[in-house]
Amino acid sequence: MIGIDLTTTRRRLLRSLGVGAAGAGLGTTVGAADPVGAANSAAQNSQSNTIDPIFGLASAEPNPCSGDADAACFESFPAEVRPDHEVEMHIGLPGLLLALAEQGGLSEPTTTTVNLEAADGDIVARNLHRPDATVEIQTPDGAVTRTVAEIAELVTETVGFHYDPAGIHISPGDVVLFSAETPDHAVAAYHERHGRQNRVPDEVGPFASPQIPVGGSWRYRFETEGVYDLYCPPHQVFGMVMRVVVSDGDTVPSLSVENTGRPPGTETFLPEILGDLDPNVPSSNGALTTPALEPENIVDQGTVSWDAVVEDHRTS
Ligand SMILES: [Cu+2]
């Protein structure tokens, strides 16, 4: 019965992610738009040329900053709502691991040894249970064969659902563009009116984006100095959070936390959708308490990558 329940839970989670048998659709990106057309679309899609302090400014039109565009892409937006910084929203889940999970995952004790070896992000093949044993994985493109050691490597490369950068230092009044590179993402402030701990400056309202379609974007202007903790509502349970530090120069504001609701989660459910394989990606709480995301480090670095947060978590 327990096995059936876990499978049901995993299926339900996979469905809620819009993930098919082999994770089809993950990593989907919309190709770089033609800059002139994108500029026109961006202008047409802005119902107003203002950024609402609660609802921001969303656009489903092709985002001129999608993919690997450089900072010149900001020029495509009207001056009064032009971004100063970009944060991308990603899913880092190998389709092969999702397909393996869907067919039941690895057997014990192989799962346990893979998890133990992957925990700090490094694999020592000889410590794995039968590292050269092969596993056949069914994908929509046919069956592929991988060794246990290769699957373990895939687990260490898995960084899960994330914002990139995961930490950013900006000036008061700056606009951040959140780009949806993969499906199902959104941005919300940890705020009491979202039923959460308040983790934004006192006078800041319960701001949030709608769910942003792939290739679309959302802009928000951070007016008030302070530390802002943000989460992705569908993926908070998988650790998708980030921190924005707003200050002039090298000033390091402190995070103000009020216990007005649920704190960032201390568990991550990634292993449940990966057939119990555990890439040791931090929970929401785990990510926000890494040294990498301390406000002082974010101000020092300017931006902190999600990879740095995961590495910090795995090696601490
Ligand atoms: Cu998300």
Side-chain angles (χ1 to χ4, degrees), residues 59-247:
S59 172
E61 294 298 318
N63 169 9
C65 296
S66 180
D68 295 329
D70 62 28
C73 64
F74 295 155
E75 301 298 318
S76 302
F77 292 89
E80 51 285 21
V81 288
R82 184 167 292 158
D84 302 288
H85 312 271
E86 185 190 16
V87 171
E88 295 183 351
M89 301 188 278
H90 285 284
I91 299 176
L93 293 180
L96 263 187
L97 289 187
L98 292 168
L100 176 62
E102 193 65 9
Q103 69 189 43
L106 296 172
S107 59
E108 287 295 345
T110 305
T111 301
T112 303
T113 59
V114 167
N115 290 348
L116 283 173
E117 278 305 290
D120 61 3
D122 281 320
I123 294 291
V124 178
R126 68 173 179 276
N127 294 343
L128 295 166
H129 179 72
R130 300 177 62 212
D132 298 325
T134 55
V135 183
E136 189 172 282
I137 305 170
Q138 304 299 326
T139 78
D141 302 325
V144 298
T145 302
R146 292 289 183 272
T147 65
V148 166
E150 286 169 333
I151 289 167
E153 286 296 334
L154 269 181
V155 174
T156 66
E157 289 163 14
T158 299
V159 295
F161 302 83
H162 60 280
Y163 297 101
D164 220 358
I168 188 167
H169 177 222
I170 67 175
S171 300
D174 280 0
V175 173
V176 178
L177 173 78
F178 294 84
S179 300
E181 302 285 334
T182 52
D184 270 354
H185 302 292
V187 183
Y190 274 95
H191 194 282
E192 58 181 307
R193 288 181 66 195
H194 291 148
R196 307 277 169 172
Q197 274 186 346
N198 207 84
R199 301 170 73 93
V200 293
D202 283 349
E203 55 270 48
V204 172
F207 67 87
S209 76
Q211 184 162 305
I212 307 299
V214 176
S217 62
W218 182 71
R219 274 162 282 167
Y220 190 76
R221 190 184 302 279
F222 293 81
E223 301 273 17
T224 305
E225 182 159 310
V227 178
Y228 297 65
D229 284 351
L230 311 178
Y231 65 98
C232 175
H235 302 141
Q236 196 268 155
V237 293
F238 301 109
M240 187 163 172
V241 293
M242 71 167 294
R243 177 167 285 164
V244 180
V245 178
V246 181
S247 72

